[in-house]
Amino acid sequence: MHKDIEKIILSETEIAELCKQLGAQITKDYANSESLTLVGLLKGTVPFIADLMREIDLPLTVEYMDVSSYHGGVESTGEVKILKDLDTPVASRDVLIVEDVIDTGKTLKTIVELLKQRGANSVKVVTLVDKTIKRIVELDVDYIGCKMGGEFIVGYGLDYDELYRNLKYIGVLKEEVYQ
Ligand code: IMP
Ligand code: MG
């Protein structure tokens, strides 16, 4: 284990199992869709979307968006700036937004509404980790890998100050690291 990690929340094996389960459920639910598009939110979702898409046994396209949330103090305000937009329009497509972790939910809610406005046929959300305890806005999350408390986590794409994204597991960062 990395020296800055307090404890492991999801091991490599557990993550693989969650991706399998989520992929199987998504494959079932979208069996009749002819226009599934996964939208991954950069940069944190890169490992998750890579593993998840290979567990979905359906024709699908993959798009990426990079957004930054404006933070008023430490809380996200829900106002987002699009740093990289989709390459292809999502009008009439069944969009599944792939997120690494949902915290307040503000960023995601803004993106869900934006893609609906752009005429997507449907917009759903899959997240690997859901910190339900921190939720501020009302947001339907259709697929959840694992629920956890409010601790700050890193690894498997998730960063602190852009580091730790390359860990194979998700763990809680030792407090002394960010104090
Ligand atoms: P929200 O708008 O508060 O839901 O912000 C969610 C975003 O904050 C996620 O997409 C992550 O990029 C980031 N985030 C939230 N919690 C954590 C965490 O524990 N570790 C790393 N990034 C996090
Ligand atoms: Mg993110």
Side-chain angles (χ1 to χ4, degrees):
M1 192 163 76
H2 192 289
K3 65 170 174 46
D4 296 345
I5 300 298
E6 178 82 54
K7 63 174 177 199
I8 293 178
I9 294 263
L10 287 176
S11 70
E12 204 180 340
T13 330
E14 285 165 336
I15 292 171
E17 185 51 39
L18 288 176
C19 289
K20 246 191 188 56
Q21 289 169 8
L22 290 168
Q25 188 61 49
I26 291 165
T27 301
K28 231 166 119 184
D29 294 353
Y30 284 89
N32 296 322
S33 164
E34 276 159 23
S35 59
L36 175 59
T37 295
L38 303 184
V39 173
L41 303 182
L42 296 171
K43 309 170 198 169
T45 23
V46 167
F48 179 44
I49 196 169
D51 287 338
L52 180 67
M53 72 167 93
R54 286 175 289 174
E55 299 294 346
I56 302 174
D57 189 15
L58 293 172
L60 57 82
T61 63
V62 182
E63 290 285 330
Y64 296 97
M65 257 183 123
D66 192 3
V67 299
S68 80
S69 317
Y70 289 109
H71 289 265
V74 288
E75 292 294 340
S76 109
T77 57
E79 243 184 282
V80 302
K81 181 176 167 191
I82 299 177
L83 303 174
K84 186 223 171 289
D85 208 339
L86 307 171
D87 294 332
T88 313
V90 290
S92 312
R93 299 197 62 89
D94 291 316
V95 173
L96 182 57
I97 302 174
V98 182
E99 178 62 304
D100 43 19
V101 51
I102 305 177
D103 192 29
T104 64
K106 287 184 177 177
T107 309
L108 201 50
K109 193 180 171 85
T110 309
I111 296 171
V112 168
E113 277 160 16
L114 175 72
L115 299 186
K116 279 184 181 164
Q117 270 172 25
R118 290 184 181 178
N121 184 47
S122 65
V123 181
K124 286 189 176 187
V125 175
V126 53
T127 188
L128 182 59
V129 177
D130 190 5
K131 296 185 185 177
T132 41
I133 199 166
K134 303 274 291 275
R135 190 66 37 81
I136 290 178
V137 297
E138 225 175 279
L139 174 75
D140 289 328
V141 184
D142 306 276
Y143 304 97
I144 299 168
C146 141
K147 291 186 181 176
M148 58 162 275
E151 301 128 300
F152 193 81
I153 51 173
V154 294
Y156 194 66
L158 294 167
D159 75 303
Y160 169 67
D161 219 5
E162 293 299 324
L163 292 173
Y164 310 103
R165 292 192 197 276
N166 56 328
L167 300 182
K168 292 182 179 178
Y169 50 84
I170 293 181
V172 176
L173 196 61
K174 285 182 183 165
E175 265 185 49
E176 66 208 48
V177 178
Y178 53 88
Q179 263 167 3

